[in-house]
Amino acid sequence: MEGPRPVVLSGPSGTGKSTLLKKLLKDYKGVFGFSLVEGYPKHYHFRNREAMQEDIDTGEFIETDEFSGNLYGTSKCAVQDVRAKGLICILDVDIAGVRHIKESDLDPIYVSIQPPSIEVLEERLRGRATETEEKIQSRLEAARIDMEECNEPGLFDIVIVNDDLDESYEKLQSVLKEEIMKVQQGIKS
Ligand SMILES: Nc1ncnc2c1ncn2[C@@H]1O[C@H](COP(=O)(O)OP(=O)(O)OP(=O)(O)O)[C@@H](O)[C@H]1O
């Protein structure tokens, strides 16, 4: 397949994925891209519910979610579109999404961002002050599972324990170096 490999960023909520991603987007302008999200019934990229369900059933979607009757998701096709533009497509998915992508032919680089400990994660979630107590508890529960499963052999190319932010960012850049260089060379030529 043409174009740079996509990147899967996974890991518990509050572990620092958005923080690291923001740094990447700032330092490497015009290198990364995001796949469009399609949805029903109220969505900018509107899909007919039956047609979308058919695509979900045949495995065309990497991730879907339904919230208050709104169905939305990311299709493999949308990821390929970003790749065809010569950009590294960023996918922020949970571990179930990672397993699903493994069954596809997307061939991304799999990166897991983990907290140094559950206690530190709790501090970060509380420090962000964006969640209710109930939400914090459910995120911590999901995090415990994620922290265990991320070490499963062959699941991730790299597991970055995000303790020192600069060190984590260095590690992230180094695992993406080859793909970043491909895009930058493409921009120059
Ligand atoms: N290495 C770090 N050391 C200390 N604090 C950090 C570090 N990385 C991120 N943080 C802080 O932790 C909080 C959570 O980070 P962030 O919002 O990036 O997490 P996330 O993984 O993107 O979460 P979500 O999946 O819920 O969007 C933020 O307040 C951020 O500033």
Side-chain angles (χ1 to χ4, degrees):
M1 195 165 302
E2 294 271 317
R5 292 168 71 195
V7 173
V8 163
L9 274 188
S10 193
S13 171
T15 208
K17 297 179 298 295
S18 319
T19 309
L20 287 162
L21 184 56
K22 231 182 262 169
K23 281 169 90 69
L24 271 181
L25 296 177
K26 184 167 160 268
D27 289 349
Y28 300 98
K29 294 218 160 67
V31 169
F32 295 95
F34 295 90
S35 48
L36 65 82
V37 176
E38 299 156 61
Y40 170 90
K42 285 186 224 149
H43 206 279
Y44 184 66
H45 297 287
F46 173 80
R47 287 293 307 271
N48 167 287
R49 169 127 206 168
E50 286 72 31
M52 187 164 165
Q53 191 57 54
E54 223 167 86
D55 283 351
I56 294 169
D57 294 344
T58 53
E60 286 306 306
F61 274 78
I62 288 167
E63 248 209 336
T64 54
D65 212 345
E66 192 153 5
F67 185 72
S68 307
N70 292 304
L71 176 66
Y72 58 94
T74 304
S75 68
K76 283 194 255 179
C77 212
V79 178
Q80 307 292 24
D81 283 350
V82 176
R83 187 171 194 167
K85 284 185 195 145
L87 300 174
I88 301 172
C89 184
I90 303 270
L91 292 159
D92 182 339
V93 297
D94 63 16
I95 211 148
V98 169
R99 292 187 194 282
H100 193 192
I101 296 170
K102 287 255 157 178
E103 291 166 13
S104 76
D105 56 0
L106 278 182
D107 187 34
I109 298 171
Y110 295 93
V111 181
S112 173
I113 310 292
Q114 291 292 324
S117 67
I118 200 86
E119 290 78 18
V120 171
L121 181 66
E122 185 167 357
E123 269 171 38
R124 285 186 193 165
L125 282 170
R126 292 193 188 283
R128 200 165 63 170
T130 49
E131 265 99 331
T132 60
E133 184 59 33
E134 197 187 346
K135 201 93 193 198
I136 289 176
Q137 292 308 329
S138 77
R139 291 204 190 287
L140 289 174
E141 200 42 56
R144 284 190 188 92
I145 299 167
D146 196 300
M147 286 165 81
E148 241 180 72
E149 291 191 11
C150 74
N151 291 313
E152 201 176 295
L155 199 55
F156 289 98
D157 293 301
I158 185 169
V159 175
I160 299 174
V161 177
N162 182 21
D163 190 353
D164 179 89
L165 186 63
D166 291 335
E167 270 176 36
S168 303
Y169 185 54
E170 282 298 317
K171 286 181 190 156
L172 183 59
Q173 283 178 101
S174 74
V175 73
L176 304 182
K177 204 161 101 195
E178 208 175 301
E179 299 307 312
I180 290 174
M181 270 167 52
K182 268 193 218 165
V183 180
Q184 288 175 330
Q185 278 158 6
I187 293 169
K188 265 188 245 147
S189 62

CSV table of all heavy atoms in Angstrom, one decimal, residues 128-182:
chain,number,residue,atom,x,y,z
A,128,ARG,N,-6.7,17.1,35.9
A,128,ARG,CA,-7.3,17.6,34.7
A,128,ARG,C,-8.7,18.3,35.0
A,128,ARG,O,-9.1,19.1,34.2
A,128,ARG,CB,-7.5,16.4,33.7
A,128,ARG,CG,-7.6,16.8,32.3
A,128,ARG,CD,-7.4,15.7,31.4
A,128,ARG,NE,-8.4,14.6,31.5
A,128,ARG,CZ,-8.5,13.6,30.7
A,128,ARG,NH1,-7.7,13.5,29.6
A,128,ARG,NH2,-9.5,12.7,30.9
A,129,ALA,N,-9.3,17.8,36.1
A,129,ALA,CA,-10.6,18.4,36.5
A,129,ALA,C,-11.7,18.4,35.5
A,129,ALA,O,-12.4,19.4,35.3
A,129,ALA,CB,-10.4,19.8,37.1
A,130,THR,N,-11.7,17.3,34.6
A,130,THR,CA,-12.7,17.3,33.6
A,130,THR,C,-13.8,16.2,33.9
A,130,THR,O,-14.7,16.2,33.1
A,130,THR,CB,-12.1,17.0,32.2
A,130,THR,OG1,-11.2,15.9,32.4
A,130,THR,CG2,-11.3,18.2,31.7
A,131,GLU,N,-13.5,15.4,34.9
A,131,GLU,CA,-14.4,14.3,35.1
A,131,GLU,C,-15.2,14.3,36.4
A,131,GLU,O,-14.7,14.8,37.4
A,131,GLU,CB,-13.6,13.0,35.0
A,131,GLU,CG,-13.6,12.3,33.7
A,131,GLU,CD,-12.3,12.7,32.9
A,131,GLU,OE1,-11.7,13.8,33.1
A,131,GLU,OE2,-11.9,11.9,32.1
A,132,THR,N,-16.3,13.6,36.4
A,132,THR,CA,-17.0,13.4,37.7
A,132,THR,C,-16.4,12.2,38.4
A,132,THR,O,-15.6,11.5,37.8
A,132,THR,CB,-18.5,13.0,37.4
A,132,THR,OG1,-18.4,11.7,36.6
A,132,THR,CG2,-19.2,14.0,36.6
A,133,GLU,N,-16.7,12.1,39.7
A,133,GLU,CA,-16.1,11.0,40.5
A,133,GLU,C,-16.4,9.6,39.9
A,133,GLU,O,-15.5,8.8,39.8
A,133,GLU,CB,-16.6,11.1,41.9
A,133,GLU,CG,-16.0,10.1,42.9
A,133,GLU,CD,-14.5,10.2,43.0
A,133,GLU,OE1,-14.0,11.3,42.9
A,133,GLU,OE2,-13.8,9.1,43.2
A,134,GLU,N,-17.6,9.5,39.4
A,134,GLU,CA,-18.1,8.2,38.8
A,134,GLU,C,-17.2,7.9,37.6
A,134,GLU,O,-16.8,6.8,37.4
A,134,GLU,CB,-19.5,8.4,38.4
A,134,GLU,CG,-20.2,7.0,38.2
A,134,GLU,CD,-21.6,7.2,37.7
A,134,GLU,OE1,-22.2,8.4,37.8
A,134,GLU,OE2,-22.2,6.3,37.2
A,135,LYS,N,-17.0,8.9,36.8
A,135,LYS,CA,-16.2,8.8,35.5
A,135,LYS,C,-14.8,8.4,35.9
A,135,LYS,O,-14.2,7.6,35.2
A,135,LYS,CB,-16.3,10.1,34.8
A,135,LYS,CG,-16.0,10.0,33.3
A,135,LYS,CD,-17.2,9.8,32.5
A,135,LYS,CE,-16.9,9.3,31.1
A,135,LYS,NZ,-17.9,9.5,30.2
A,136,ILE,N,-14.2,9.1,36.9
A,136,ILE,CA,-12.9,8.8,37.3
A,136,ILE,C,-12.7,7.3,37.7
A,136,ILE,O,-11.8,6.6,37.3
A,136,ILE,CB,-12.4,9.7,38.5
A,136,ILE,CG1,-12.2,11.1,38.0
A,136,ILE,CG2,-11.1,9.2,39.1
A,136,ILE,CD1,-11.9,12.2,39.0
A,137,GLN,N,-13.7,6.8,38.5
A,137,GLN,CA,-13.6,5.4,39.0
A,137,GLN,C,-13.7,4.5,37.8
A,137,GLN,O,-13.0,3.5,37.7
A,137,GLN,CB,-14.8,5.1,40.0
A,137,GLN,CG,-14.6,5.9,41.3
A,137,GLN,CD,-13.2,5.6,42.0
A,137,GLN,OE1,-12.6,4.6,41.8
A,137,GLN,NE2,-12.7,6.7,42.6
A,138,SER,N,-14.6,4.8,36.8
A,138,SER,CA,-14.8,3.8,35.7
A,138,SER,C,-13.5,3.9,34.8
A,138,SER,O,-13.1,2.9,34.2
A,138,SER,CB,-16.0,4.1,34.9
A,138,SER,OG,-15.9,5.2,34.1
A,139,ARG,N,-12.9,5.1,34.7
A,139,ARG,CA,-11.6,5.2,33.9
A,139,ARG,C,-10.5,4.4,34.6
A,139,ARG,O,-9.7,3.8,33.9
A,139,ARG,CB,-11.2,6.6,33.7
A,139,ARG,CG,-12.2,7.4,32.8
A,139,ARG,CD,-11.5,8.6,32.2
A,139,ARG,NE,-12.3,9.6,31.6
A,139,ARG,CZ,-12.9,9.4,30.4
A,139,ARG,NH1,-12.8,8.3,29.8
A,139,ARG,NH2,-13.6,10.3,29.8
A,140,LEU,N,-10.5,4.5,35.9
A,140,LEU,CA,-9.4,3.7,36.6
A,140,LEU,C,-9.6,2.2,36.5
A,140,LEU,O,-8.6,1.5,36.4
A,140,LEU,CB,-9.4,4.1,38.1
A,140,LEU,CG,-8.9,5.6,38.4
A,140,LEU,CD1,-9.1,5.9,39.9
A,140,LEU,CD2,-7.4,5.7,38.0
A,141,GLU,N,-10.8,1.8,36.5
A,141,GLU,CA,-11.1,0.4,36.4
A,141,GLU,C,-10.7,-0.1,35.0
A,141,GLU,O,-10.0,-1.1,34.8
A,141,GLU,CB,-12.7,0.2,36.5
A,141,GLU,CG,-13.1,-1.3,36.9
A,141,GLU,CD,-12.2,-1.9,37.9
A,141,GLU,OE1,-12.0,-1.4,39.0
A,141,GLU,OE2,-11.6,-3.0,37.5
A,142,ALA,N,-11.0,0.7,34.0
A,142,ALA,CA,-10.6,0.3,32.6
A,142,ALA,C,-9.1,0.4,32.5
A,142,ALA,O,-8.4,-0.4,31.8
A,142,ALA,CB,-11.2,1.3,31.6
A,143,ALA,N,-8.4,1.3,33.2
A,143,ALA,CA,-7.0,1.5,33.1
A,143,ALA,C,-6.3,0.2,33.7
A,143,ALA,O,-5.3,-0.2,33.1
A,143,ALA,CB,-6.6,2.7,33.9
A,144,ARG,N,-6.8,-0.3,34.8
A,144,ARG,CA,-6.2,-1.5,35.4
A,144,ARG,C,-6.1,-2.6,34.3
A,144,ARG,O,-5.1,-3.3,34.2
A,144,ARG,CB,-7.0,-2.0,36.6
A,144,ARG,CG,-6.7,-1.1,37.8
A,144,ARG,CD,-7.3,-1.7,39.1
A,144,ARG,NE,-7.2,-0.7,40.1
A,144,ARG,CZ,-8.1,0.2,40.4
A,144,ARG,NH1,-9.3,0.2,39.8
A,144,ARG,NH2,-7.9,1.1,41.4
A,145,ILE,N,-7.2,-2.8,33.6
A,145,ILE,CA,-7.2,-3.9,32.6
A,145,ILE,C,-6.2,-3.5,31.4
A,145,ILE,O,-5.4,-4.4,31.0
A,145,ILE,CB,-8.7,-4.0,32.0
A,145,ILE,CG1,-9.6,-4.4,33.2
A,145,ILE,CG2,-8.7,-5.0,30.9
A,145,ILE,CD1,-11.1,-4.3,32.8
A,146,ASP,N,-6.3,-2.3,31.0
A,146,ASP,CA,-5.4,-1.8,29.9
A,146,ASP,C,-3.9,-2.0,30.3
A,146,ASP,O,-3.1,-2.5,29.5
A,146,ASP,CB,-5.7,-0.4,29.6
A,146,ASP,CG,-5.1,0.1,28.3
A,146,ASP,OD1,-3.9,0.0,28.1
A,146,ASP,OD2,-5.9,0.5,27.4
A,147,MET,N,-3.6,-1.7,31.6
A,147,MET,CA,-2.2,-1.8,32.0
A,147,MET,C,-1.7,-3.2,32.0
A,147,MET,O,-0.5,-3.5,31.8
A,147,MET,CB,-2.1,-1.2,33.5
A,147,MET,CG,-2.1,0.3,33.5
A,147,MET,SD,-2.4,1.0,35.1
A,147,MET,CE,-0.7,1.0,35.8
A,148,GLU,N,-2.6,-4.1,32.2
A,148,GLU,CA,-2.2,-5.6,32.2
A,148,GLU,C,-2.1,-6.1,30.8
A,148,GLU,O,-1.1,-6.7,30.4
A,148,GLU,CB,-3.3,-6.3,32.9
A,148,GLU,CG,-2.8,-7.1,34.1
A,148,GLU,CD,-4.0,-7.8,34.7
A,148,GLU,OE1,-4.4,-8.9,34.2
A,148,GLU,OE2,-4.4,-7.4,35.8
A,149,GLU,N,-3.1,-5.7,30.0
A,149,GLU,CA,-3.2,-6.3,28.6
A,149,GLU,C,-2.1,-5.7,27.7
A,149,GLU,O,-1.8,-6.4,26.7
A,149,GLU,CB,-4.6,-6.0,28.0
A,149,GLU,CG,-5.6,-6.9,28.7
A,149,GLU,CD,-7.0,-6.8,28.0
A,149,GLU,OE1,-7.1,-6.3,26.8
A,149,GLU,OE2,-8.0,-7.3,28.6
A,150,CYS,N,-1.7,-4.5,28.0
A,150,CYS,CA,-0.7,-3.8,27.0
A,150,CYS,C,0.6,-4.6,26.9
A,150,CYS,O,1.3,-4.5,25.9
A,150,CYS,CB,-0.5,-2.4,27.4
A,150,CYS,SG,0.6,-2.3,28.8
A,151,ASN,N,0.9,-5.4,27.9
A,151,ASN,CA,2.2,-6.2,27.8
A,151,ASN,C,2.0,-7.5,27.1
A,151,ASN,O,3.0,-8.3,27.0
A,151,ASN,CB,2.7,-6.4,29.2
A,151,ASN,CG,3.2,-5.1,29.8
A,151,ASN,OD1,3.9,-4.3,29.1
A,151,ASN,ND2,2.7,-4.8,31.0
A,152,GLU,N,0.9,-7.8,26.6
A,152,GLU,CA,0.7,-9.1,25.8
A,152,GLU,C,1.6,-9.1,24.6
A,152,GLU,O,1.7,-8.1,23.9
A,152,GLU,CB,-0.8,-9.0,25.3
A,152,GLU,CG,-1.3,-10.4,25.0
A,152,GLU,CD,-2.8,-10.2,24.6
A,152,GLU,OE1,-3.6,-9.8,25.4
A,152,GLU,OE2,-3.1,-10.4,23.4
A,153,PRO,N,2.4,-10.2,24.5
A,153,PRO,CA,3.4,-10.2,23.5
A,153,PRO,C,2.8,-10.0,22.1
A,153,PRO,O,1.8,-10.5,21.7
A,153,PRO,CB,4.0,-11.6,23.6
A,153,PRO,CG,3.7,-12.0,24.9
A,153,PRO,CD,2.4,-11.4,25.4
A,154,GLY,N,3.4,-9.1,21.3
A,154,GLY,CA,3.0,-8.8,19.9
A,154,GLY,C,1.9,-7.9,19.8
A,154,GLY,O,1.5,-7.5,18.6
A,155,LEU,N,1.3,-7.4,20.9
A,155,LEU,CA,0.2,-6.5,20.7
A,155,LEU,C,0.6,-5.1,20.3
A,155,LEU,O,0.1,-4.5,19.4
A,155,LEU,CB,-0.6,-6.4,22.0
A,155,LEU,CG,-2.0,-5.9,21.9
A,155,LEU,CD1,-2.9,-6.6,20.9
A,155,LEU,CD2,-2.7,-6.0,23.3
A,156,PHE,N,1.7,-4.5,21.0
A,156,PHE,CA,2.2,-3.2,20.7
A,156,PHE,C,3.6,-3.3,20.2
A,156,PHE,O,4.4,-4.1,20.6
A,156,PHE,CB,2.1,-2.3,21.9
A,156,PHE,CG,0.7,-1.9,22.2
A,156,PHE,CD1,0.0,-2.6,23.2
A,156,PHE,CD2,0.0,-0.9,21.5
A,156,PHE,CE1,-1.4,-2.3,23.5
A,156,PHE,CE2,-1.3,-0.6,21.8
A,156,PHE,CZ,-2.0,-1.3,22.8
A,157,ASP,N,4.0,-2.3,19.3
A,157,ASP,CA,5.4,-2.2,18.9
A,157,ASP,C,6.2,-1.6,20.0
A,157,ASP,O,7.3,-1.9,20.2
A,157,ASP,CB,5.5,-1.3,17.6
A,157,ASP,CG,4.8,-2.0,16.5
A,157,ASP,OD1,5.3,-3.1,16.1
A,157,ASP,OD2,3.9,-1.5,15.9
A,158,ILE,N,5.5,-0.7,20.7
A,158,ILE,CA,6.2,-0.1,21.9
A,158,ILE,C,5.2,0.3,23.0
A,158,ILE,O,4.1,0.7,22.6
A,158,ILE,CB,7.0,1.2,21.4
A,158,ILE,CG1,7.9,1.8,22.6
A,158,ILE,CG2,6.2,2.3,20.8
A,158,ILE,CD1,8.9,2.8,22.2
A,159,VAL,N,5.6,0.1,24.2
A,159,VAL,CA,4.8,0.5,25.3
A,159,VAL,C,5.6,1.6,26.0
A,159,VAL,O,6.8,1.4,26.5
A,159,VAL,CB,4.5,-0.6,26.3
A,159,VAL,CG1,3.8,-0.1,27.6
A,159,VAL,CG2,3.7,-1.7,25.7
A,160,ILE,N,5.1,2.8,26.0
A,160,ILE,CA,5.9,4.0,26.6
A,160,ILE,C,5.2,4.3,28.0
A,160,ILE,O,4.0,4.6,28.0
A,160,ILE,CB,5.8,5.2,25.7
A,160,ILE,CG1,6.5,4.9,24.3
A,160,ILE,CG2,6.5,6.4,26.4
A,160,ILE,CD1,6.3,6.0,23.3
A,161,VAL,N,6.0,4.2,29.0
A,161,VAL,CA,5.5,4.6,30.3
A,161,VAL,C,5.8,6.1,30.5
A,161,VAL,O,6.9,6.5,30.5
A,161,VAL,CB,6.2,3.8,31.4
A,161,VAL,CG1,5.8,4.3,32.8
A,161,VAL,CG2,6.0,2.3,31.3
A,162,ASN,N,4.7,6.8,30.4
A,162,ASN,CA,4.8,8.3,30.4
A,162,ASN,C,5.0,8.8,31.8
A,162,ASN,O,4.1,9.3,32.5
A,162,ASN,CB,3.5,8.9,29.8
A,162,ASN,CG,3.6,10.4,29.7
A,162,ASN,OD1,4.7,11.0,29.7
A,162,ASN,ND2,2.4,11.0,29.5
A,163,ASP,N,6.3,8.8,32.2
A,163,ASP,CA,6.6,9.3,33.5
A,163,ASP,C,7.1,10.8,33.3
A,163,ASP,O,6.4,11.7,33.4
A,163,ASP,CB,7.7,8.4,34.2
A,163,ASP,CG,7.9,8.8,35.6
A,163,ASP,OD1,7.4,9.8,36.1
A,163,ASP,OD2,8.7,8.1,36.3
A,164,ASP,N,8.4,10.8,32.7
A,164,ASP,CA,8.9,12.1,32.3
A,164,ASP,C,8.4,12.4,30.9
A,164,ASP,O,8.7,11.7,30.0
A,164,ASP,CB,10.4,12.1,32.4
A,164,ASP,CG,11.0,13.4,32.0
A,164,ASP,OD1,11.2,14.3,32.8
A,164,ASP,OD2,11.3,13.6,30.7
A,165,LEU,N,7.7,13.6,30.7
A,165,LEU,CA,7.1,13.9,29.4
A,165,LEU,C,8.1,14.0,28.3
A,165,LEU,O,7.9,13.4,27.2
A,165,LEU,CB,6.3,15.1,29.6
A,165,LEU,CG,5.4,15.5,28.4
A,165,LEU,CD1,4.4,14.5,28.1
A,165,LEU,CD2,4.8,16.9,28.5
A,166,ASP,N,9.2,14.6,28.6
A,166,ASP,CA,10.2,14.8,27.5
A,166,ASP,C,10.8,13.5,27.1
A,166,ASP,O,11.0,13.3,25.9
A,166,ASP,CB,11.4,15.8,28.0
A,166,ASP,CG,10.8,17.2,28.1
A,166,ASP,OD1,9.8,17.5,27.5
A,166,ASP,OD2,11.4,17.9,28.9
A,167,GLU,N,11.1,12.6,28.0
A,167,GLU,CA,11.6,11.3,27.7
A,167,GLU,C,10.6,10.5,26.9
A,167,GLU,O,11.0,9.8,25.9
A,167,GLU,CB,11.9,10.5,29.0
A,167,GLU,CG,13.4,10.7,29.4
A,167,GLU,CD,13.6,10.0,30.8
A,167,GLU,OE1,13.1,8.9,31.0
A,167,GLU,OE2,14.3,10.6,31.6
A,168,SER,N,9.4,10.6,27.3
A,168,SER,CA,8.3,9.8,26.5
A,168,SER,C,8.2,10.4,25.1
A,168,SER,O,8.1,9.6,24.2
A,168,SER,CB,6.9,10.0,27.2
A,168,SER,OG,7.0,9.6,28.5
A,169,TYR,N,8.3,11.7,25.0
A,169,TYR,CA,8.2,12.3,23.7
A,169,TYR,C,9.3,11.8,22.8
A,169,TYR,O,9.1,11.6,21.6
A,169,TYR,CB,8.1,13.8,23.8
A,169,TYR,CG,7.9,14.5,22.5
A,169,TYR,CD1,6.8,14.2,21.7
A,169,TYR,CD2,8.7,15.5,22.1
A,169,TYR,CE1,6.6,14.8,20.5
A,169,TYR,CE2,8.5,16.2,20.9
A,169,TYR,CZ,7.4,15.8,20.1
A,169,TYR,OH,7.2,16.5,18.9
A,170,GLU,N,10.5,11.8,23.4
A,170,GLU,CA,11.7,11.3,22.6
A,170,GLU,C,11.5,9.9,22.1
A,170,GLU,O,11.7,9.6,20.9
A,170,GLU,CB,12.9,11.2,23.5
A,170,GLU,CG,13.6,12.5,23.8
A,170,GLU,CD,14.2,13.2,22.6
A,170,GLU,OE1,14.8,12.4,21.8
A,170,GLU,OE2,14.0,14.4,22.4
A,171,LYS,N,10.9,9.0,22.9
A,171,LYS,CA,10.7,7.6,22.5
A,171,LYS,C,9.6,7.6,21.4
A,171,LYS,O,9.7,6.8,20.5
A,171,LYS,CB,10.2,6.8,23.8
A,171,LYS,CG,11.3,6.5,24.7
A,171,LYS,CD,10.7,5.7,25.9
A,171,LYS,CE,11.8,5.6,27.0
A,171,LYS,NZ,11.3,5.3,28.3
A,172,LEU,N,8.6,8.4,21.6
A,172,LEU,CA,7.5,8.4,20.6
A,172,LEU,C,8.1,8.9,19.2
A,172,LEU,O,7.8,8.3,18.2
A,172,LEU,CB,6.4,9.3,21.0
A,172,LEU,CG,5.2,9.4,20.1
A,172,LEU,CD1,4.5,8.1,20.0
A,172,LEU,CD2,4.1,10.4,20.7
A,173,GLN,N,8.9,9.9,19.3
A,173,GLN,CA,9.5,10.4,18.0
A,173,GLN,C,10.4,9.4,17.4
A,173,GLN,O,10.4,9.2,16.2
A,173,GLN,CB,10.4,11.6,18.3
A,173,GLN,CG,9.6,12.9,18.5
A,173,GLN,CD,10.5,14.0,18.8
A,173,GLN,OE1,10.8,14.9,18.0
A,173,GLN,NE2,11.0,14.1,20.0
A,174,SER,N,11.1,8.6,18.2
A,174,SER,CA,12.0,7.7,17.6
A,174,SER,C,11.3,6.5,17.0
A,174,SER,O,11.7,6.0,15.9
A,174,SER,CB,13.1,7.2,18.6
A,174,SER,OG,12.6,6.4,19.5
A,175,VAL,N,10.2,6.1,17.5
A,175,VAL,CA,9.5,5.0,16.9
A,175,VAL,C,8.8,5.4,15.6
A,175,VAL,O,8.5,4.6,14.7
A,175,VAL,CB,8.5,4.3,17.9
A,175,VAL,CG1,7.3,5.1,18.2
A,175,VAL,CG2,8.1,2.9,17.4
A,176,LEU,N,8.5,6.7,15.5
A,176,LEU,CA,7.8,7.2,14.3
A,176,LEU,C,8.8,7.8,13.3
A,176,LEU,O,8.3,8.2,12.2
A,176,LEU,CB,6.8,8.3,14.7
A,176,LEU,CG,5.7,7.9,15.8
A,176,LEU,CD1,4.8,9.1,16.0
A,176,LEU,CD2,4.9,6.7,15.3
A,177,LYS,N,10.1,7.9,13.7
A,177,LYS,CA,11.1,8.6,12.8
A,177,LYS,C,11.0,8.2,11.4
A,177,LYS,O,11.0,9.1,10.5
A,177,LYS,CB,12.5,8.3,13.4
A,177,LYS,CG,13.5,9.3,13.1
A,177,LYS,CD,14.6,9.2,14.0
A,177,LYS,CE,15.8,8.5,13.3
A,177,LYS,NZ,16.8,8.0,14.3
A,178,GLU,N,11.0,6.9,11.1
A,178,GLU,CA,11.1,6.5,9.7
A,178,GLU,C,9.9,7.0,8.9
A,178,GLU,O,10.0,7.5,7.8
A,178,GLU,CB,11.0,4.9,9.7
A,178,GLU,CG,11.7,4.4,8.5
A,178,GLU,CD,11.8,2.8,8.6
A,178,GLU,OE1,12.3,2.3,9.6
A,178,GLU,OE2,11.2,2.2,7.7
A,179,GLU,N,8.7,6.9,9.5
A,179,GLU,CA,7.5,7.3,8.8
A,179,GLU,C,7.5,8.9,8.6
A,179,GLU,O,7.1,9.4,7.6
A,179,GLU,CB,6.2,6.9,9.5
A,179,GLU,CG,6.1,5.4,9.6
A,179,GLU,CD,6.2,4.6,8.3
A,179,GLU,OE1,5.5,5.1,7.3
A,179,GLU,OE2,6.9,3.7,8.2
A,180,ILE,N,7.9,9.6,9.7
A,180,ILE,CA,8.0,11.0,9.6
A,180,ILE,C,8.9,11.5,8.5
A,180,ILE,O,8.6,12.3,7.7
A,180,ILE,CB,8.5,11.6,11.0
A,180,ILE,CG1,7.4,11.4,12.0
A,180,ILE,CG2,8.8,13.1,10.8
A,180,ILE,CD1,7.8,11.9,13.4
A,181,MET,N,10.1,10.8,8.4
A,181,MET,CA,11.1,11.1,7.3
A,181,MET,C,10.5,10.9,6.0
A,181,MET,O,10.7,11.7,5.0
A,181,MET,CB,12.3,10.3,7.5
A,181,MET,CG,13.3,11.0,8.4
A,181,MET,SD,14.7,10.0,9.0
A,181,MET,CE,15.3,9.3,7.5
A,182,LYS,N,9.7,9.8,5.8
A,182,LYS,CA,9.1,9.5,4.5
A,182,LYS,C,8.2,10.7,4.1
A,182,LYS,O,8.2,11.1,2.9
A,182,LYS,CB,8.2,8.3,4.6
A,182,LYS,CG,8.9,7.0,4.3
A,182,LYS,CD,7.8,5.9,4.2
A,182,LYS,CE,8.2,4.6,4.8
A,182,LYS,NZ,7.1,3.7,5.0
